[in-house]
Amino acid sequence: MTAQSVRAASAMLDGGAFDVERYRADFPILTTQVRGKELVYLDNAASAQKPRQVIDAIAEFDRASYANIHRGVHHLSQVATKAYEGARDKVRAFMNAEQDREIIFVRGTTEAINLVASSYGRANLQAGDEILITHLEHHSNIVPWQILCQQTGAVLKVAPISDEGEIVMDEFKKLVGKKTKIVAVNHVSNALGTINPVDEIIALAHEVGAVALIDGAQSAPHLAIDVRALDADFYAFSSHKIFGPTGVGVLYGKAALLEAMPPYQGGGDMISYVTFEETRYNRIPYKFEAGTPNITGVVGMGAAIDYIQSVGLDAIGAYEHELLEYATERVGAVEGVRLVGTAAKKAGVLSFVIDGVHPHDVGTILDQAGIAIRAGHHCAQPVMDRFGIPATARASFAFYNTKAEIDALVDGIHQIRKVFG
Amino acid sequence: MASDLRELYQEVILDHNKKPRNFREMEPFDRKVEGFNPLCGDRLTLFMKIEDGVIKDVTFQGSGCAISTASASMMTEALVGKTFEEAEQMFSEFHDLVTGDPTDEPKVGEHLDKLEIFAGIREFPARVKCATLCWHTAKAALEGGQKSVSTE
Ligand SMILES: Cc1ncc(COP(=O)(O)O)c(C=O)c1O
């Protein structure tokens, strides 16, 4: 048993059940009333809520430890720098990276991918080179590569997905070749919840000498990440999806790659000295952290990681699996409901459509019952096109959701069917 | 059902959603404009036939929620036979109706007639754009020049 699963096991009740009420009590917002009803928050894939431990850590840091980092000789600057760098080490451990300097703080997954596209991409790609993504990507793992293609003459290749919403690996393999320079794939799909075989995908990329970037925005809240076991070259996630604050996220990169890459933005902190004739860049990770970063946000993200580790990702994974199976069965059983995305391995997401009812109307009617879901294309329009639908209704789960909340969702769906008769 | 919801999803609206009127392409047409709501991906194409400053026929195609479909369907019925000026007035009256303060009595302009039932949208600010997408598209069609409009 790992240290993590020991902690997780100790969080279980005698019967082995996950003590969800205990964790719910950590999230103040879950007691909010919406339109006179108790909030049922099923929009976690868009952004997750924060536990008191994170809210308090942020307030406490701002109250007692805040100053700019890396530049002051004064006491507070040193305290703040220690907290900021301490969070970097928490992230390193969270992803099982080897070194702190492989962890770059960015604004979020979107900026992480843009950083790799601009810095690594422009330095290494030439006309005719290929970038391979899949039909399952979020717009933030599509558009930066399209921009890079426009700038370099590289070509974007897209691996297809099946009717279940899984990457068709036989087709994927055919698209990996000598010209492939970057492979960029999400670990878990935000639109459908599919868990992709990223270990296999990374190995395929490496066979042809390409680098692999994994978009971990939707895996980080649900699965234990091990960048070394995966042998990922780059791995990105966002704090706000792992119960931390917005405006901050992480790019992991292998040290050798990061060292060889040109800076992404210029400014303070990323230099070691500047004259008008010559500027020498700072070492990694600072080379990629130009300007005053989101100091408080980074500290808050560190607190969120502490919190997740205290619950334990093994326990979270097991509980959420049970929750998703229950939701799949109950929602799927309602007449006129079609689930979109039925992969064998899924995490956290239930996307569906109701015959004759547009997802926006689903969202509005559920909202009247205090149930928050997302209705739309989920920043993944190609996925919607693949299934020939404009949008889906998406319920997405966190470990603080309950079966009773899924029952409320099912009641809401019955109500919708009644309205639209 | 909560009363706000019943206000929004009135029978007439549900009926127009199920059986949208004038839901077809037009050939030939005098004006054709596409309307997009990039936030939700809703899109519609509006076709118009115009004679001597009067709207002779309006049809639409596209996919959207019940509110946007019903709004477009009812708009096509309401616009036929109207002058540009009357249509312009309907646009601004409709806009005032759906964006009004929900705690006040609804402001029902004199040209609105059946469209009055959209007053319920005032309670649902997130849905106002669904109802107004077709009207923005129609306005662009009347003004000419633009091939597409967006709510954002
Ligand atoms: C799979 C995936 N990738 C990337 C992103 C972008 O993350 P952010 O908006 O935090 O930069 C998201 C967020 O929705 C996502 O779900």
Side-chain angles (χ1 to χ4, degrees):
Chain A
M1 240 190 194
T2 62
Q4 210 177 68
S5 57
V6 171
R7 241 175 298 138
S10 69
M12 303 253 185
L13 286 178
D14 287 347
F18 186 81
D19 189 1
V20 63
E21 290 306 328
R22 178 183 142 190
Y23 298 121
R24 285 182 72 80
D26 289 334
F27 290 80
I29 210 166
L30 297 181
T31 59
T32 304
Q33 300 267 313
V34 173
R35 306 183 195 287
K37 312 263 173 23
E38 213 167 282
L39 168 68
V40 174
Y41 189 74
L42 299 177
D43 195 18
N44 294 285
S47 206
Q49 298 297 348
K50 296 175 197 64
R52 170 172 52 72
Q53 288 85 337
V54 169
I55 297 168
D56 291 351
I58 291 170
E60 191 50 35
F61 178 76
D62 278 343
R63 206 179 285 132
S65 311
Y66 179 78
N68 210 331
I69 53 165
H70 296 150
R71 41 195 92 183
V73 289
H74 60 79
H75 172 76
L76 270 186
S77 177
Q78 289 166 27
V79 172
T81 302
K82 204 167 159 203
Y84 183 84
E85 292 303 327
R88 199 187 303 275
D89 190 57
K90 288 175 189 179
V91 172
R92 182 203 56 72
F94 182 65
M95 309 178 82
N96 194 32
E98 189 186 345
Q99 310 170 46
D100 282 0
R101 65 196 188 108
E102 296 176 313
I103 306 299
I104 297 162
F105 291 130
V106 290
R107 274 197 302 130
T109 306
T110 303
E111 187 176 38
I113 298 171
N114 277 281
L115 191 163
V116 174
S118 323
S119 169
Y120 182 87
R122 274 191 269 174
N124 291 285
L125 267 71
Q126 289 169 357
D129 285 345
E130 291 176 2
I131 300 163
L132 176 57
I133 62 172
T134 79
H135 211 118
L136 210 48
E137 303 308 316
H138 187 278
H139 294 164
S140 66
N141 199 25
I142 301 173
V143 184
W145 306 120
Q146 289 174 326
I147 294 171
L148 178 61
C149 287
Q150 279 164 7
Q151 289 166 336
T152 59
V155 180
L156 190 64
K157 296 279 175 182
V158 184
I161 54 174
S162 68
D163 291 344
E164 289 72 38
E166 293 173 332
I167 299 169
V168 182
M169 285 308 293
D170 285 344
E171 297 298 322
F172 187 95
K173 280 176 200 159
K174 287 186 206 156
L175 290 168
V176 181
K178 275 207 295 271
K179 290 184 182 161
T180 313
K181 291 294 181 295
I182 298 176
V183 174
V185 177
N186 64 48
H187 198 161
V188 173
S189 152
N190 69 305
L192 306 182
T194 314
I195 303 177
N196 294 310
V198 289
D199 44 355
E200 186 184 351
I201 284 170
I202 293 167
L204 285 166
H206 289 170
E207 272 176 31
V208 296
V211 295
L213 175 143
I214 305 302
D215 167 358
Q218 296 296 340
S219 47
H222 304 296
L223 317 172
I225 300 167
D226 187 335
V227 290
R228 271 187 286 175
L230 289 174
D231 199 20
D233 300 296
F234 300 104
Y235 198 107
F237 69 86
S238 301
S239 156
H240 70 100
K241 311 232 194 224
I242 61 160
F243 320 100
T246 52
V248 63
V250 168
L251 172 67
Y252 159 83
K254 283 181 180 165
L257 288 169
L258 293 176
E259 273 172 346
M261 280 158 59
Y264 165 59
Q265 293 177 330
D269 244 14
M270 56 75 71
I271 47 81
S272 58
Y273 78 82
V274 176
T275 65
F276 286 117
E277 290 70 39
E278 189 198 8
T279 291
R280 218 171 270 166
Y281 303 132
N282 205 338
R283 60 187 196 277
I284 61 167
Y286 310 112
K287 182 170 78 177
F288 294 105
E289 292 180 5
T292 302
N294 186 347
I295 302 167
T296 305
V298 164
V299 171
M301 173 166 64
I305 287 175
D306 285 342
Y307 183 80
I308 294 175
Q309 304 279 37
S310 77
V311 181
L313 274 160
D314 293 347
I316 290 173
Y319 176 72
E320 287 182 348
H321 181 70
E322 200 183 305
L323 211 56
L324 185 59
E325 292 228 305
Y326 182 74
T328 303
E329 195 180 303
R330 288 228 52 201
V331 174
V334 180
E335 209 187 301
V337 169
R338 181 160 65 90
L339 302 180
V340 183
T342 48
K345 286 190 182 166
K346 281 182 62 172
V349 168
L350 193 72
S351 247
F352 60 94
V353 289
I354 304 178
D355 283 349
V357 190
H358 191 280
H360 285 163
D361 300 309
V362 174
T364 294
I365 296 175
L366 291 177
D367 180 54
Q368 289 294 304
I371 304 170
I373 60 140
R374 175 126 179 230
H377 53 60
H378 319 298
C379 297
Q381 276 179 332
V383 177
M384 301 297 117
D385 293 344
R386 168 64 178 76
F387 289 93
I389 47 182
T392 72
R394 178 187 73 182
S396 56
F397 309 107
F399 61 85
Y400 46 62
N401 289 126
T402 64
K403 287 188 180 171
E405 291 180 312
I406 289 163
D407 293 340
L409 171 67
V410 172
D411 290 347
I413 294 171
H414 281 296
Q415 160 101 66
I416 294 161
R417 301 234 325 133
K418 228 187 279 162
V419 174
F420 279 79
Chain B
M1 191 181 2
S3 66
D4 288 353
L5 267 187
R6 210 170 298 129
E7 271 294 299
L8 183 64
Y9 294 107
Q10 297 195 31
E11 278 307 319
V12 181
I13 290 181
L14 292 173
D15 179 63
H16 275 266
N17 174 50
K18 235 182 193 162
K19 292 175 294 202
R21 323 294 198 266
N22 304 309
F23 189 72
R24 59 190 148 79
E25 276 185 47
M26 187 192 289
E27 193 65 55
F29 53 81
D30 295 312
R31 303 277 162 88
K32 174 182 172 183
V33 179
E34 280 183 284
F36 292 99
N37 182 345
L39 280 188
C40 57
D42 282 1
R43 58 182 83 178
L44 69 87
T45 310
L46 198 74
F47 303 86
M48 244 184 227
K49 203 167 283 170
I50 296 165
E51 242 169 61
D52 302 331
V54 175
I55 300 167
K56 282 287 167 201
D57 195 13
V58 193
T59 68
F60 78 109
Q61 286 258 278
S63 76
C65 62
I67 305 305
S68 85
T69 304
S71 182
S73 170
M74 293 183 71
M75 181 191 77
T76 58
E77 289 191 316
L79 283 180
V80 174
K82 298 290 190 297
T83 64
F84 279 28
E85 207 169 89
E86 287 166 331
E88 193 78 33
Q89 271 166 342
M90 288 171 79
F91 173 88
S92 69
E93 287 177 9
F94 188 82
H95 194 267
D96 289 348
L97 176 74
V98 297
T99 56
D101 185 335
T103 56
D104 295 343
E105 278 294 303
K107 271 189 276 176
V108 186
E110 55 175 325
H111 297 85
L112 287 182
D113 199 14
K114 283 188 216 159
L115 301 175
E116 178 187 344
I117 61 163
F118 286 97
I121 301 217
R122 292 175 306 151
E123 302 278 352
F124 298 85
R127 304 302 299 278
V128 168
K129 282 178 181 165
C130 306
T132 56
L133 174 63
C134 59
W135 285 94
H136 284 287
T137 314
K139 191 163 185 276
L142 291 171
E143 286 164 357
Q146 250 173 302
K147 289 247 176 311
S148 73
V149 291
S150 162
T151 54
E152 293 307 303

